[in-house]
Amino acid sequence: MALSSVVPQSRALVLGSTSVYRRELLARLRLPFSIEPPFVDESPLAHETPEQLARRLAAAKAAAVAHRHPAAIVIGSDQVADLDGEPLGKPGNHANAVAQLQRMSGRVVTFQTALTVMCEETGFVQHELAPVRVRFRELEAAEIEAYLLAEQPYDCAGSARSEGLGIALLDAIDSDDPTALVGLPLIRTCRMLRAAGLRVF
């Protein structure tokens, strides 16, 4: 899948992700790019911290796609919700989402958003981490149920979409790269693409 743009490029740009949220975010840069599933096992390793997991998966996704497209500039990214050092994955269903939001109620969760940009042909590779600290309100059971039925964020780490109605569940967001919470830190992405030789403007 490719998105058209008037911005010239010397190398193809590939997003190693099937996430619709990352695709929509990258499209904001108005660069032509294609989508490539990375086919990476996202299971955490024993004793792996959420930060380590996010970094490893972002790098693995980029490397898997770069191996298939060695001349392209490839973006890999991953996000893991971190509750006191415990990784929280995508809930997948309503019951799991209820349990996650109950646990996060009144607490601070760090969303570890990792990013890797690489080009196998040139040997370019950079890794970044964009942690986002999110403080959840004290949530009532009825609020959790109403929110989940309205938005059904079962494919989101942390069971809430901050770019949608999920913002009403929060007290505060602390981040130096605002789109990191949605799944792709665009400030860091732009900086890394420039370093890889790709003109954003």
Side-chain angles (χ1 to χ4, degrees), residues 118-171:
M118 66 187 306
C119 177
E120 191 171 279
E121 188 171 84
T122 65
F124 177 87
V125 59
Q126 280 191 0
H127 309 282
E128 287 265 8
L129 184 74
V132 183
R133 287 172 54 83
V134 176
R135 187 168 70 246
F136 282 78
R137 294 189 300 103
E138 293 282 353
L139 303 174
E140 298 177 1
E143 289 181 300
I144 291 174
E145 189 70 14
Y147 167 68
L148 292 177
L149 291 176
E151 202 152 61
Q152 300 182 17
Y154 308 135
D155 61 344
C156 297
S159 305
R161 293 189 184 126
S162 63
E163 70 276 24
L165 181 58
I167 198 71
L169 305 178
L170 310 180
D171 262 340

Side-chain angles (χ1 to χ4, degrees), residues 27-127:
R28 293 186 191 181
L29 302 183
R30 303 186 183 186
L31 295 169
F33 67 93
S34 60
I35 303 290
E36 181 84 19
F39 302 117
V40 168
D41 182 1
E42 299 189 19
S43 304
L45 302 177
H47 310 299
E48 193 171 35
T49 68
E51 177 183 336
Q52 291 168 340
L53 175 60
R55 287 182 181 275
R56 178 176 62 82
L57 291 180
K61 290 175 181 179
V65 174
H67 187 67
R68 299 197 294 269
H69 300 275
I73 295 171
V74 176
I75 298 171
S77 185
D78 194 77
Q79 183 181 79
V80 179
D82 180 348
L83 181 61
D84 296 333
E86 178 187 345
L88 301 179
K90 299 171 184 176
N93 59 51
H94 186 84
N96 289 342
V98 169
Q100 279 194 357
L101 288 175
Q102 286 175 337
R103 291 189 62 196
M104 296 186 297
S105 175
R107 302 176 70 180
V108 172
V109 180
T110 301
F111 288 80
Q112 307 284 7
T113 306
L115 176 68
T116 294
V117 173
M118 66 187 306
C119 177
E120 191 171 279
E121 188 171 84
T122 65
F124 177 87
V125 59
Q126 280 191 0
H127 309 282

Side-chain angles (χ1 to χ4, degrees), residues 166-180:
I167 198 71
L169 305 178
L170 310 180
D171 262 340
I173 297 173
D174 181 15
S175 173
D176 65 357
D177 204 334
T179 59

